[in-house]
Amino acid sequence: MSVHSVCSALDERIARLRRLAHADTRLEGVLLYGSWTVGEADAHSDIEAYLYIQDDRLSDFDGPAFLAQLAPLQLAYTNMYGVLTVVFDDLMRGEFHLTPAGAGIDEVPTWQGMVHLPRPDRAVLLDRTGRLTRAARQLATFQPPEPPTTAQQLTDELTNWTLMLAHVLARGEIARAHALLHTVIAPQQLQLCRLLRDTTAHWLTPSRALEEDLPAADRHRYVATTAPARDQDVRTAARNSWRWSRDLAAEAAARWSTRLPHALHEQITGLLGAPR
């Protein structure tokens, strides 16, 4: 599989990043992650990388100044996750972790099950010591989530958060319920659905490529859980969501013998006003 994308601008920017990194002795390593490394990049993809900086040079490394050598920046700031985020002049986004090389490279193998680098030697743009390449190679094999344990966790999560949703709706907080439904519950439903359909490649962002990864019946169930932030629409979506959660949980229980708190599920159904 080629790691080159259908976006020449991204390929060129990555090639330039490689050259700049090799020329900057403050950097010990550079590791790409994201869509480019798994062959899914397109004209809308961003560039994501860890910049492993020599420990004693971290304090004098000016991230925005370094990245401005790639292309002019329209925006550069540290985002809510502590990651340097930039927007280049062509509207390509970038996320760059400025990380001390010592402990940072040692952490890479712990990403197993979360990050997949099918061609780790190509994801490594710079490695002055060999440490980063050895660490990245441990991510070459995709490790899907372990089904029974993960299904139980997701079943319990969906139960807990849907109960919260029912309480929020009973209080009349429609906007809060809308946000809870779409930002907390839906991603966990999609993960459980992906686990059941054996399509876990986009596990961390389960809505990614949903249209290609999941069958039409599941897509229709997902659509029925979405709604504008209006009272009755959100209540209907919440009931549809809970019915789908229960169906997914029952399917998981039949396959992996996960536990279902039947009495609690019935009580939540009653709180939501959904038919049993």
Side-chain angles (χ1 to χ4, degrees), residues 74-126:
Q74 295 200 77
L75 177 68
Y77 79 108
T78 300
N79 71 15
M80 67 182 75
Y81 304 108
V83 179
L84 175 59
T85 301
V86 302
V87 175
F88 296 103
D89 61 341
D90 58 359
L91 299 186
M92 184 186 296
R93 295 179 61 257
E95 294 184 359
F96 298 88
H97 302 250
L98 308 184
T99 306
I105 293 175
D106 289 341
E107 185 183 65
V108 172
T110 69
W111 299 347
Q112 290 179 347
M114 296 184 292
V115 176
H116 178 215
L117 300 176
R119 298 185 64 181
D121 293 359
R122 299 294 296 273
V124 174
L125 301 187
L126 170 69

